[in-house]
Amino acid sequence: MGSQIFRHVNFLNWLLLLLSLEYPFAATYFELSTLNSNSTTQYKPDHHDAEGSVQDERLNVFTVDYNYVQIPCEVTLWILLASLAKIGFHLYHRLPSLMPECCLLIFIGALVGAIIFGTDHKSPPVMTTNIYFLYLLPPIVLEEGYFMPTRPFFENFVSILWWSVLGSLLNAFGIGLSLYGICQIEAFGLTDVNLLQNLLFGSLISAVDPVAALAVFEEASVNEQLYMMIFGESLLNDGITVVLYNIFIAFTQMHRYEEIEPVDVLAGFARFFVVGLGGVLFGIMFGFVSAFMTRFTQNISAIEPLLVFMFSYLSYLSAETLYISGILAMTACAVTMKKYVEENVSQNSYTTIKYFMKMLSSVSETLIFVFMGVSTVGRNHEWNWAFVSFTLLFCLIWRVLSVFALFYISNKFRTYPFTIKDQLIIAYSGLRGASSFSLAFLLPMYLFPRKHMFITATLVVIYFTVFIQGITIGPLVKYLDVKKTNKKECINEEIHVRMMDHLKAGIEDICGHWSHYQLRDKFKKFDTKYLKKILIRENKPKSSIVSLYKKLEIKQAIEMAESGMISSAASTASLQSYRNQRMHRLSPEEVESMRDMLANSLYQVRQRTPSYNRHNLPTETSEKEATEILICRQNSLRQSVRKGNSLPWGKPARTKNVRFLSLPYGTHQPARGKARHDASTGDYCNDSDSMVSIMFRPQLRAGSLAGNRRQQEIVPMEQLDRREKLSDFAGQRGTPSKPGHTARIRRLALMPKPQFDAVFEEEIQGYESEEEEEAVAASRPSVKWAPEKKNHRKWKNLNGKDVVYKIPAVSEKHLLFKNV
Amino acid sequence: MGSAHSVPEEIQELADKTGFTLEQIEHLHRRFKQISGDQQTIRKESFDRIPDLEFNPIRSKIVHAFFDKRNLRQASDGLAEEINFEDFLTIMSYFRPMEMNMDEEQLDHFRKEKLKFLFHMYDSDNDGKITLQEYRKVVEELLSRNPHLEKESARSIADGAMMEAASICVGQMEPDQVYEGITFEDFLKMWQGIDIDTKMHVRFLNMEPIAHCH
């Protein structure tokens, strides 16, 4: 383990220790425990202490009132501790690949628990039924639902449903019933545990939480089917087990007072479906409502994230009010609204939603895990060898059995069945996590006299699965050599896959079968025809792509300004490396925008095997992707640098800075943009006649050509006419450049202005040149310049058009790819 | 039933050739008749009878593929005027799922066949290369159902994709090197990661065709 972790941990532990030593009797939760009258925590309020502080009536100059802040303070410290530990965990890069992150959380929890136990300190009652179900659980559920990769999920929908619903039921009943069998053996001293209690325990222990497994899968890039099975299970499993759990709790309560009749059992089954399906329907309804609301938020985009969160929370709460499954409602709500909300809200809101969701869920989970650690160390355990070991055994056995049985059946209906290896991996990925523990911890003591034994058994199962299975699943996946998908995340793949989609739908149409490709097609038609019209803003710009571009552009401009400031301060870096570095920095956005564009415009939102991590968002700069796609672009840059070197480049250092500042990389331009640029560069290089023209370059770039630096270099073979014009033009413009207006250009470049002549050629050009003129005119008295600018514009317009329409004519086949 | 159907050997032969089961052939034959209007052959116009196909953005490409002689395993290339049931089955057989009992070599062969079919959809002028022009056309068609999209965007996507293809297939290119188009080898290379075997297949269920024709 990295020593960093220990450093952080030690420091914080020391702090905590200090706090807890200083206020050893500080535990007063009187208010809270009265509020939660049905709370089941072990906590007993300490009246004596509270009275003690009241008695002290004299005004003190300096007082310490830790009691007042204790709960939030300790919670904050826990979360902080966990966050610091996570930093340490990820600092040492090999550690995350060795063990799942929840191991770390549990470890931290155990440490905190040990400290609390060692100092006789009472932990704050963070875990009560109310707090868990109302505040801790919803963020986790929402996050899972929202980050669900919609497309692969619905592609495997039937299999996922089959496996996660029946698998959970089979596990719950299997474990419950077989444990009941064990309890009948007198030697184990478990005869007082009745059937219902066993079933309830079975239902809570079958709540799997395979997030750790997902992380492993992603790293090993296992095939999409397998990934989606586990993901779907983690998504639906919670809901199902909680429904079961609640039904069993109700039965147990009933059992105390009256007999359970067969009718009740039937009612229980009916209830299971009502609760589940009702939840889903409720969620879909709320999802549509919230999507509809975000349609009208264009002027107050700050509340967009709020709407998303509040509506999903409302769906949870109102579903719970009606006694239907809030978890499923929330999941369905998140899934439904995601698609529409993403199109409605602004880029910033979108980012906020994503990060906030991750943050909330990771806080919830951290708290649960820490609390799990805390309750591991303590006296509230009842160790029963038989119960604990048989629980563990049955958990493993039933998991394997249910996987093989259910997949044996579902494989008959699949075109591509799950192999034995896949099934083994699925069986092995049955990690238990926070939800199992919480459910066990929240068992009402008066109904379950042997609750401590249940908690102990649950903890053992969790520790076993998280530590042993969680750590070994990575090597197992490698060892079994599960079928992999090596996704490349490239534009070509996107195009091919979509092409394939349409092709398949078409072929199905032709052979007249109705299956899920067609079903998807139908839904898509319905979606574009009605749903989108209702739920998505009307007054968007002509094309969603354009707005996307604009957003991106603004973002880039800001980023550029930021990075530009830094690098201008320390611009000793060589020209080339600087450029390359810039390339790397911005290129993922380029890729991203391309992909976004594809995703939007091909109107089949497809996400490939998704990268899911409970605790983190995927880093947006994945170098691999970037390099692969942008090799050519770099080539071109290098080339132009080489050309530039032949000129007296090193001379004006300031010019250099300015020039790069003003290069908005990563914009999308059509081929002609580059063509123009190439022409111009080539021109300068060829007639490297004067210093003037070189000095002038920055201005040119800053203005029009800045945006033209582009990855596509499709150069029609004939450009002679343009070259001529250009050289004229360069000659004209050579004169007015003076040193000293660089600063202005710099300012100009920093202005976030859309430069998408790719999409919006005319309009934006107009806007751009206006702006430029303004800037120039305002800051510089030379009137002579402005008309020239205009002139230049005209050239651009005219020639731009020329080039475009020439491309097809000139070169049906001669249109070549060239790295200039 | 058509004449092809009355003689079992012929069906058996078809089944051996295309890998369909007899039942599937029967269903497909019924469908063939629906499309052709009880004729022996299908012409291009016959596909107009399928209402669902109308909304498919790459409709013309799909229909075209049916008449493309390269796909019909004929020596010549160009476009066929009409296709008979056997040809129809041949086209359909590209969309059979991979079978579990195939060995490595067969799988590879089958995969290549499928890719070849796809490649032909892109390479409309049959010069063995997907040129930029062809690629652009495909992307434009794919995007054609989106009313909000200008041709420019489609074009720039295609350009970007082509760049990427060049970088994948050729790798680091010399400055004055020229990438003329995606050859079939390059196409194979690009598909390497994407498991076509799970993607390019349609379920030929043993059931009655539901969708109807006018």
Side-chain angles (χ1 to χ4, degrees), chain A residues 191-221:
Chain A
T191 39
D192 59 328
V193 184
N194 64 22
L195 176 65
L196 269 175
Q197 290 175 354
N198 269 318
L199 282 176
L200 186 102
F201 181 70
S203 77
L204 70 88
I205 203 72
S206 59
V208 296
D209 186 13
V211 173
L214 287 182
V216 170
F217 285 3
E218 195 188 315
E219 200 179 316
S221 65

Side-chain angles (χ1 to χ4, degrees), chain A residues 33-212:
Chain A
S33 50
T34 43
L35 267 174
N36 306 307
S37 50
N38 62 343
S39 122
T40 52
T41 36
Q42 298 304 298
Y43 166 74
K44 302 274 191 307
D46 197 346
H47 290 273
H48 169 75
D49 212 48
E51 280 157 19
S53 64
V54 168
Q55 276 169 6
D56 193 11
E57 279 171 7
R58 217 172 287 154
L59 187 76
N60 286 328
V61 178
F62 182 76
T63 49
V64 176
D65 189 4
Y66 182 64
N67 296 345
Y68 177 58
V69 293
Q70 194 208 357
I71 295 169
C73 178
E74 278 178 18
V75 168
T76 312
L77 282 178
W78 286 2
I79 295 169
L80 212 61
L81 178 65
S83 309
L84 289 177
K86 275 184 195 174
I87 295 174
F89 185 70
H90 286 283
L91 270 182
Y92 183 55
H93 63 277
R94 276 191 59 203
L95 212 53
S97 61
L98 281 179
M99 59 159 98
E101 210 170 285
C102 41
C103 294
L104 175 80
L105 289 177
I106 295 174
F107 190 67
I108 298 287
L111 260 175
V112 174
I115 292 166
I116 290 174
F117 185 71
T119 55
D120 255 352
H121 182 80
K122 284 250 160 64
S123 64
V126 186
M127 274 288 262
T128 65
T129 318
N130 282 355
I131 292 180
Y132 175 70
F133 279 110
L134 291 183
Y135 307 114
L136 291 181
L137 185 60
I140 298 178
V141 173
L142 178 66
E143 187 261 354
E144 271 182 354
Y146 197 81
F147 286 93
M148 183 194 80
T150 321
R151 198 181 135 127
F153 180 79
F154 285 107
E155 264 173 14
N156 299 303
F157 186 64
V158 181
S159 299
I160 290 174
L161 211 63
W162 169 262
W163 157 237
S164 56
V165 174
L166 281 182
S168 307
L169 288 179
L170 210 64
N171 266 301
F173 282 96
I175 295 170
L177 290 174
S178 23
L179 275 178
Y180 181 63
I182 295 299
C183 290
Q184 298 311 304
I185 301 171
E186 295 218 356
F188 296 143
L190 292 164
T191 39
D192 59 328
V193 184
N194 64 22
L195 176 65
L196 269 175
Q197 290 175 354
N198 269 318
L199 282 176
L200 186 102
F201 181 70
S203 77
L204 70 88
I205 203 72
S206 59
V208 296
D209 186 13
V211 173

